Amino acid sequence: MESGAQSRHTNRIAVQEAAQRLAISRREFLRASAGLALGSTFLRSSPLAYAAAPLSKRKVVVITFGGGARDQETFAPEGQRNIPNLMGELIPQSTFFTQVVNRGILGHYVATASLATGVYETINNFASLPPESPTVFEYFRKDLGRPASDAWVVAPSNGFNRIGESDHRAFGPGWGARVILPKHLLSAATSSGADYGHLLHDSYETPLYAPELSGNTFELEQMQSLLKVSVDDFKAHARTLSSPDELSVYIVRQLMRQLAPSLLWVTMHDIDIAHAGAYSLYIEGIRRTDRLCAEVWKTIQSEPEYAGKTTLFILPDFGRDADEDAGGNGFQHHRTGDALSRTTWMMALGPGLRQGVVFDRKLDCTDLVPTIGSMMGFSPSLAHGKPILELL
Ligand SMILES: [Zn+2]
């Protein structure tokens, strides 16, 4: 009979093997359908390295791909019709990693905080708490002496209100990113919320959780003074939108035009409507997220402050449960902690990066922050991950 330690070891090997199988099938889907070439880890220097902008001009935009989607609804042959923009436009221009492992807690706030600190955060997912380790925004601003206007987060849920700044003593207050919560702005702009209910849905997992907003909450007056959007225009535009992520991308465009931050982090969340159990809404969320990612990339190409000097990262915070897992309920949740929900992907596009190349070596999701640091010239000294050499 196996001892406890032996069975944990056997289980860990099984999870690693499942993750590797998933990465290889993902790689083969992309090679067959998006024409990607297999990258070699020996291919060190980037053929386009000269095309990267000088360090002081470089910008980075990070999009988290909305609460996670599974391969059968995205990269697998039967799922590709849901992501025509990623498959046809973005992936062929990107360096794609098929095995980005998340070993942390699978809650959206805590997982996004882990992505933003490069350390697996253990804060309560449903509490209004800052990350414990310094965020990428604090390293960036303090190391490079950048103003508050140069680092921003646009987040879908009021529960993300503290994500811009840690309470780590090496930094102290004042070095974080400004956080915009479009739903908070919209509810402040509309006293009754009538006509806007579909845009104000805050959390798909715990509908009754109403986080207390604290810290530097971005308010309507700042939307008018900094983003040049009047409350009336904002309300009128919101009436034309179908989802919270569309509202976020509207704010992102204003932010890029008016303030052109060098470090911009956008958290999509529509896909997580899967928790409600309706498969059609989950698919609709994936299709919308696919379209919105392409719209952000298009804005990057068309805004002079961003064109030719911006790297775009797209990655999920984590995946969703497999149909086979008896402990879960398939696409609906991310509760089992199985290989499928932990093995995500990442694509990176921009000047100086290889295009149309896929790598299936195992990365850790905490590698993102050190990679951004190497690209922009700052040192995330307390982050646990490693810079991804294929992107440098
Ligand atoms: Zn969720």
Side-chain angles (χ1 to χ4, degrees), residues 156-221:
S157 161
N158 293 339
F160 282 54
N161 73 98
R162 305 293 300 275
I163 197 156
E165 184 169 297
S166 71
D167 62 359
H168 195 278
R169 64 180 187 280
F171 285 82
W175 288 109
R178 301 296 308 277
V179 179
I180 304 187
L181 305 167
K183 283 174 203 166
H184 168 67
L185 293 177
L186 187 60
S187 56
T190 60
S191 48
S192 69
D195 299 343
Y196 299 99
H198 62 297
L199 300 180
L200 295 173
H201 203 121
D202 196 55
S203 164
Y204 299 111
E205 276 179 282
T206 49
L208 297 179
Y209 169 55
E212 193 183 317
L213 295 183
S214 52
N216 295 322
T217 312
F218 184 89
E219 299 293 352
L220 281 178
E221 307 83 70

Side-chain angles (χ1 to χ4, degrees), residues 67 108 204-205 269 272 275 318 320 332 334:
H108 298 292
Y204 299 111
E205 276 179 282
H269 205 60
D272 211 41
H275 288 295
F318 45 79
R320 308 196 83 83
Q332 190 172 359
H334 36 80

